[in-house]
Amino acid sequence: MELAFLNPLYERPGPWASVYVDTSRHTENTPHERQLTARAMARELADQGADEATCDAVRRAIEELRHSSEPHGRALFARDGEVVLDPPLARPPQSDWAQWAPLPRVAPLLELAGEDPVCVVAYVDRKGADFELRSALGRDDAGGVTGRQWPIHRTSTVDWSERHFQLRVENTWEHNAAEIADALAVCQEETGADLLILVGDDREQRAVHERLPQRLHDLVVEAPHGTGSRLLDEDVERARAEHVRDRAAAELERFLAARTPDDEGRAGAVEGVPALVEAAREHRIDELLIRPDGPDAHREVWIGEDPDQLAVRRTELKVLGEQQSWAARADDALIRSAIATGAPALSVSAAPDARDDAPVGGLGALLRWK
């Protein structure tokens, strides 16, 4: 998950209100239920010590969702009477909850919003293609391309006099496949799509796939549907979920391999809170890996005002010259440090056959060396 969109949360000091709201249920009673949720979340924040202005801002923001048809949920981060960020979720939280803490509670976003692959579905035939943008938030038209319209059908005769016409048909198919591939590559670049799903008969899919730029080949999924089929939501969700699992598995495998020191005795990965705190202070985290159910994720660390003011013990911050310090969760503190240096973060709980002991304690990082 690229974390740059969270930057506004670290441009101001805490404490912060963090609220996660489920909007996946839609009934005639939903508006009233959302109003009740809004009051409950504001009351919960107040009980934890949040100021009245921030509680009111959260309450109003949730009340504004009472007629929303959002399919999953919303996270809200507020301070000083203002909701600073309210990203939509790609999956609903298990329940509505709110927290008042020195740092915004962003770690749940890795699972609820982080790996939300955007797909371009290309409905391909011999005349061209229609593109559809699909994500957890729904679908949108993404354009398409119209190729040559004639000739596209072979004749049934085997007479040698038809050979020239048959070659023209083949040329039309090849020309249209190349145009579709070019347009699809442009669409991927404009949308930043993580997956390209081709729908059509086997030959049409293969022809387009082969003509895509090499950099896109690993993003392509060929759907088991023939020409004229429309891809169902569950088909897209299956492809998106498989992409998430594959990416998590690949990054976890890379992490496990990087734990072994190289010829110079340097490991390319670390795990455990003390080693991660040191790496964060030295700006050496290249990618943060988090297993949300790991015991170290909610371990207490100490933070100062700046992202690299991070320590296992409070006294360490004083040695570093920081006079003010606050207790914070290790996962949220490390995410703040990762954001400051432009490093991404990933939940590895989606990895198939993920080991309960990797990363140790649930927190690890791939390192960069200067």
Side-chain angles (χ1 to χ4, degrees), residues 71 133-140:
L133 192 66
R134 303 279 283 268
S135 72
L137 300 179
R139 67 180 76 189
D140 290 294

Side-chain angles (χ1 to χ4, degrees), residues 91-103:
R91 298 165 193 80
Q94 291 186 349
S95 62
D96 303 320
W97 59 270
Q99 187 175 81
W100 180 248
L103 288 179

Side-chain angles (χ1 to χ4, degrees), residues 158-230:
V158 293
D159 191 319
W160 284 105
S161 65
E162 297 295 325
R163 179 173 176 78
H164 180 65
F165 182 80
Q166 305 283 36
L167 288 174
R168 290 178 63 192
V169 171
E170 292 287 342
N171 289 339
T172 299
W173 289 359
E174 291 180 7
H175 174 273
N176 288 352
E179 283 205 357
I180 293 168
D182 288 345
L184 187 54
V186 171
C187 184
Q188 187 279 331
E189 188 170 352
E190 291 177 345
T191 61
D194 305 286
L195 283 175
L196 303 174
I197 304 179
L198 302 179
V199 183
D201 71 28
D202 292 343
R203 176 172 177 170
E204 292 159 357
Q205 292 184 59
R206 187 167 58 253
V208 173
H209 193 166
E210 290 172 350
R211 287 164 174 80
L212 284 167
Q214 189 65 39
R215 64 181 177 83
L216 299 181
H217 281 198
D218 290 342
L219 306 185
V220 176
V221 174
E222 295 185 11
H225 299 276
T227 302
S229 301
R230 305 305 287 182

Side-chain angles (χ1 to χ4, degrees), residues 245 249 252-253 256 348-358:
R245 289 193 297 269
L252 184 57
E253 195 65 33
L256 293 173
V348 294
S349 63
D353 303 322
R355 293 167 44 178
D356 291 340
D357 62 343

Side-chain angles (χ1 to χ4, degrees), residues 79-140:
R79 68 172 295 283
D80 200 22
E82 176 189 3
V83 175
V84 177
L85 203 64
D86 60 343
L89 303 178
R91 298 165 193 80
Q94 291 186 349
S95 62
D96 303 320
W97 59 270
Q99 187 175 81
W100 180 248
L103 288 179
R105 184 80 184 91
V106 296
L109 290 176
L110 298 185
E111 292 215 303
L112 299 178
E115 290 299 308
D116 176 22
V118 174
C119 306
V120 171
V121 181
Y123 296 100
V124 178
D125 61 31
R126 296 172 186 175
K127 295 181 179 181
D130 295 322
F131 302 151
E132 188 178 65
L133 192 66
R134 303 279 283 268
S135 72
L137 300 179
R139 67 180 76 189
D140 290 294

